[in-house]
Short mmCIF file of all heavy atoms in Angstrom, two decimals:
data_model
loop_
_atom_site.label_atom_id
_atom_site.label_comp_id
_atom_site.label_asym_id
_atom_site.label_seq_id
_atom_site.Cartn_x
_atom_site.Cartn_y
_atom_site.Cartn_z
N LEU G 573 147.89 158.55 191.87
CA LEU G 573 147.19 159.96 191.66
C LEU G 573 148.30 161.04 191.78
O LEU G 573 149.17 160.86 192.61
CB LEU G 573 146.16 159.98 192.59
CG LEU G 573 145.06 158.92 192.56
CD1 LEU G 573 144.08 159.17 193.70
CD2 LEU G 573 144.28 158.84 191.23
N ASN G 574 147.88 162.09 191.19
CA ASN G 574 148.76 163.36 191.50
C ASN G 574 147.76 164.42 191.88
O ASN G 574 146.86 164.73 191.02
CB ASN G 574 149.52 163.78 190.19
CG ASN G 574 150.39 164.97 190.48
OD1 ASN G 574 149.91 166.00 190.98
ND2 ASN G 574 151.59 164.84 190.17
N SER G 575 147.83 164.91 193.08
CA SER G 575 147.02 166.03 193.51
C SER G 575 147.84 167.20 193.92
O SER G 575 148.56 167.14 194.85
CB SER G 575 146.12 165.52 194.72
OG SER G 575 145.34 166.50 195.37
N ASN G 576 147.76 168.21 193.06
CA ASN G 576 148.56 169.47 193.40
C ASN G 576 150.08 169.09 193.57
O ASN G 576 150.72 169.67 194.50
CB ASN G 576 147.99 170.21 194.67
CG ASN G 576 146.65 170.69 194.56
OD1 ASN G 576 146.34 171.21 193.42
ND2 ASN G 576 145.85 170.54 195.56
N GLY G 577 150.56 168.19 192.70
CA GLY G 577 152.01 167.90 192.74
C GLY G 577 152.36 166.83 193.75
O GLY G 577 153.58 166.49 193.81
N SER G 578 151.44 166.39 194.61
CA SER G 578 151.72 165.37 195.59
C SER G 578 151.16 164.00 194.96
O SER G 578 150.03 163.96 194.55
CB SER G 578 151.04 165.54 196.87
OG SER G 578 151.57 166.75 197.53
N GLU G 579 152.12 163.00 195.03
CA GLU G 579 151.69 161.65 194.61
C GLU G 579 150.95 161.05 195.72
O GLU G 579 151.34 160.95 196.86
CB GLU G 579 152.88 160.87 194.13
CG GLU G 579 152.35 159.43 193.59
CD GLU G 579 153.49 158.69 192.94
OE1 GLU G 579 154.29 159.17 192.26
OE2 GLU G 579 153.49 157.40 193.27
N ILE G 580 149.76 160.31 195.33
CA ILE G 580 149.03 159.55 196.31
C ILE G 580 148.88 158.16 195.69
O ILE G 580 148.58 157.94 194.46
CB ILE G 580 147.66 160.15 196.58
CG1 ILE G 580 147.81 161.63 197.01
CG2 ILE G 580 146.77 159.29 197.43
CD1 ILE G 580 146.47 162.36 196.95
N THR G 581 149.11 157.10 196.45
CA THR G 581 148.86 155.82 195.89
C THR G 581 147.73 155.09 196.57
O THR G 581 147.50 155.30 197.88
CB THR G 581 150.12 154.85 196.13
OG1 THR G 581 150.55 154.80 197.47
CG2 THR G 581 151.30 155.30 195.19
N ILE G 582 146.85 154.40 195.88
CA ILE G 582 145.59 153.82 196.39
C ILE G 582 145.72 152.28 196.01
O ILE G 582 145.76 152.08 194.88
CB ILE G 582 144.36 154.61 195.71
CG1 ILE G 582 144.45 155.99 196.00
CG2 ILE G 582 142.99 153.88 196.26
CD1 ILE G 582 144.21 156.47 197.23
N ASP G 583 145.41 151.48 196.93
CA ASP G 583 145.16 150.02 196.70
C ASP G 583 144.01 149.85 195.90
O ASP G 583 143.00 150.41 196.14
CB ASP G 583 145.22 149.31 198.02
CG ASP G 583 145.10 147.76 197.86
OD1 ASP G 583 145.66 147.27 196.95
OD2 ASP G 583 144.39 147.17 198.72
N SER G 584 144.06 148.82 194.99
CA SER G 584 142.82 148.76 194.14
C SER G 584 142.88 147.34 193.53
O SER G 584 143.84 146.61 193.42
CB SER G 584 142.88 149.69 193.01
OG SER G 584 141.84 149.45 192.01
N ARG G 585 141.70 146.84 193.24
CA ARG G 585 141.57 145.63 192.43
C ARG G 585 141.97 145.97 191.03
O ARG G 585 141.67 147.16 190.44
CB ARG G 585 140.16 145.20 192.27
CG ARG G 585 139.57 144.64 193.68
CD ARG G 585 138.14 144.19 193.54
NE ARG G 585 137.29 145.10 193.03
CZ ARG G 585 136.02 144.89 192.78
NH1 ARG G 585 135.57 143.77 193.08
NH2 ARG G 585 135.27 145.88 192.27
N PRO G 586 142.65 145.16 190.27
CA PRO G 586 143.09 145.45 188.91
C PRO G 586 142.01 145.90 187.98
O PRO G 586 142.06 146.78 187.24
CB PRO G 586 143.75 144.21 188.43
CG PRO G 586 144.26 143.53 189.63
CD PRO G 586 143.32 143.83 190.61
N SER G 587 140.79 145.17 188.13
CA SER G 587 139.60 145.51 187.31
C SER G 587 139.20 146.98 187.47
O SER G 587 138.89 147.66 186.42
CB SER G 587 138.54 144.61 187.67
OG SER G 587 138.13 144.73 188.98
N ASP G 588 139.09 147.46 188.63
CA ASP G 588 138.82 148.80 188.90
C ASP G 588 139.83 149.87 188.45
O ASP G 588 139.58 150.86 187.84
CB ASP G 588 138.45 149.08 190.42
CG ASP G 588 137.18 148.36 190.87
OD1 ASP G 588 136.26 148.28 190.08
OD2 ASP G 588 137.20 147.85 192.04
N ALA G 589 141.00 149.48 188.72
CA ALA G 589 142.25 150.33 188.18
C ALA G 589 142.23 150.42 186.74
O ALA G 589 142.36 151.54 186.12
CB ALA G 589 143.57 149.75 188.75
N ILE G 590 142.03 149.22 186.02
CA ILE G 590 142.03 149.40 184.57
C ILE G 590 140.84 150.06 184.02
O ILE G 590 140.88 151.00 183.14
CB ILE G 590 141.90 147.93 183.96
CG1 ILE G 590 143.30 147.18 184.41
CG2 ILE G 590 141.69 147.82 182.43
CD1 ILE G 590 143.30 145.75 184.07
N ALA G 591 139.60 149.89 184.64
CA ALA G 591 138.51 150.56 184.20
C ALA G 591 138.60 152.13 184.41
O ALA G 591 138.13 152.94 183.59
CB ALA G 591 137.10 150.24 185.05
N LEU G 592 139.21 152.59 185.45
CA LEU G 592 139.53 154.05 185.64
C LEU G 592 140.58 154.44 184.77
O LEU G 592 140.47 155.52 184.12
CB LEU G 592 140.02 154.25 187.17
CG LEU G 592 140.23 155.69 187.54
CD1 LEU G 592 138.89 156.51 187.34
CD2 LEU G 592 140.71 155.77 189.00
N ALA G 593 141.66 153.68 184.48
CA ALA G 593 142.76 154.08 183.72
C ALA G 593 142.34 154.38 182.25
O ALA G 593 142.72 155.38 181.58
CB ALA G 593 143.85 153.08 183.63
N ILE G 594 141.39 153.55 181.66
CA ILE G 594 141.06 153.72 180.25
C ILE G 594 140.13 154.87 180.17
O ILE G 594 140.09 155.53 179.09
CB ILE G 594 140.44 152.43 179.73
CG1 ILE G 594 139.16 151.93 180.49
CG2 ILE G 594 141.53 151.31 179.59
CD1 ILE G 594 138.62 150.70 179.82
N ARG G 595 139.44 155.21 181.21
CA ARG G 595 138.55 156.42 181.23
C ARG G 595 139.45 157.75 181.31
O ARG G 595 139.05 158.83 180.85
CB ARG G 595 137.48 156.43 182.41
CG ARG G 595 136.34 155.54 182.13
CD ARG G 595 135.47 155.26 183.31
NE ARG G 595 134.28 154.52 182.97
CZ ARG G 595 134.30 153.31 182.67
NH1 ARG G 595 135.39 152.61 182.70
NH2 ARG G 595 133.23 152.69 182.28
N MET G 596 140.52 157.65 182.12
CA MET G 596 141.29 158.81 182.29
C MET G 596 142.48 158.86 181.41
O MET G 596 143.43 159.82 181.59
CB MET G 596 141.89 158.80 183.81
CG MET G 596 140.82 158.64 184.82
SD MET G 596 139.92 160.18 185.22
CE MET G 596 141.20 161.26 185.87
N ASP G 597 142.62 158.04 180.40
CA ASP G 597 143.91 158.01 179.40
C ASP G 597 145.06 157.82 180.20
O ASP G 597 146.09 158.55 179.79
CB ASP G 597 143.75 159.25 178.50
CG ASP G 597 142.63 159.21 177.63
OD1 ASP G 597 142.22 158.10 177.08
OD2 ASP G 597 141.98 160.27 177.38
N ALA G 598 145.09 157.06 181.29
CA ALA G 598 146.30 156.91 181.97
C ALA G 598 146.97 155.52 181.65
O ALA G 598 146.25 154.67 181.23
CB ALA G 598 145.96 156.88 183.44
N PRO G 599 148.29 155.47 181.64
CA PRO G 599 148.94 154.25 181.19
C PRO G 599 148.69 153.13 182.25
O PRO G 599 148.58 153.45 183.50
CB PRO G 599 150.47 154.60 181.17
CG PRO G 599 150.54 155.84 181.98
CD PRO G 599 149.20 156.60 181.93
N ILE G 600 148.80 151.92 181.77
CA ILE G 600 148.61 150.61 182.59
C ILE G 600 149.98 149.95 182.49
O ILE G 600 150.47 149.76 181.41
CB ILE G 600 147.43 149.80 182.03
CG1 ILE G 600 146.16 150.55 181.94
CG2 ILE G 600 147.40 148.59 182.80
CD1 ILE G 600 145.10 149.84 181.15
N TYR G 601 150.47 149.69 183.68
CA TYR G 601 151.74 148.94 183.81
C TYR G 601 151.57 147.62 184.55
O TYR G 601 150.63 147.54 185.48
CB TYR G 601 152.83 149.76 184.53
CG TYR G 601 153.25 150.98 183.82
CD1 TYR G 601 152.65 152.15 183.96
CD2 TYR G 601 154.28 150.92 182.85
CE1 TYR G 601 153.07 153.31 183.35
CE2 TYR G 601 154.68 152.07 182.16
CZ TYR G 601 154.07 153.33 182.36
OH TYR G 601 154.46 154.25 181.66
N VAL G 602 152.38 146.70 184.28
CA VAL G 602 152.42 145.42 185.12
C VAL G 602 153.85 145.22 185.56
O VAL G 602 154.80 145.42 184.83
CB VAL G 602 151.96 144.22 184.19
CG1 VAL G 602 152.12 142.96 185.13
CG2 VAL G 602 150.45 144.44 183.74
N ASP G 603 153.96 145.02 186.81
CA ASP G 603 155.24 144.74 187.39
C ASP G 603 155.88 143.45 186.80
O ASP G 603 155.20 142.49 186.66
CB ASP G 603 155.19 144.66 188.95
CG ASP G 603 156.57 144.68 189.63
OD1 ASP G 603 157.30 143.66 189.60
OD2 ASP G 603 156.85 145.60 190.19
N ASP G 604 157.05 143.53 186.41
CA ASP G 604 157.85 142.44 185.78
C ASP G 604 157.75 141.13 186.61
O ASP G 604 157.65 140.01 186.06
CB ASP G 604 159.13 142.77 185.14
CG ASP G 604 160.10 143.09 186.28
OD1 ASP G 604 159.72 143.40 187.39
OD2 ASP G 604 161.29 143.16 185.86
N ALA G 605 157.69 141.28 187.94
CA ALA G 605 157.62 140.09 188.77
C ALA G 605 156.36 139.35 188.58
O ALA G 605 156.14 138.22 188.71
CB ALA G 605 157.80 140.52 190.30
N VAL G 606 155.23 140.19 188.25
CA VAL G 606 153.94 139.60 188.08
C VAL G 606 154.00 138.69 186.70
O VAL G 606 153.47 137.60 186.72
CB VAL G 606 152.85 140.62 187.93
CG1 VAL G 606 151.51 140.08 187.56
CG2 VAL G 606 152.65 141.31 189.30
N ILE G 607 154.65 139.25 185.77
CA ILE G 607 154.77 138.57 184.48
C ILE G 607 155.57 137.19 184.84
O ILE G 607 155.19 136.18 184.11
CB ILE G 607 155.47 139.39 183.42
CG1 ILE G 607 154.85 140.66 183.17
CG2 ILE G 607 155.69 138.65 182.20
CD1 ILE G 607 153.59 140.52 182.58
#
Side-chain angles (χ1 to χ4, degrees):
L573 304 174
N574 186 307
S575 176
N576 297 320
S578 296
E579 184 176 315
I580 302 165
T581 57
I582 307 287
D583 182 35
S584 175
R585 296 182 302 179
S587 56
D588 292 324
I590 292 167
L592 183 60
I594 61 177
R595 282 169 171 76
M596 303 285 294
D597 293 320
I600 300 167
Y601 293 91
V602 176
D603 192 284
D604 61 347
V606 171
I607 301 293

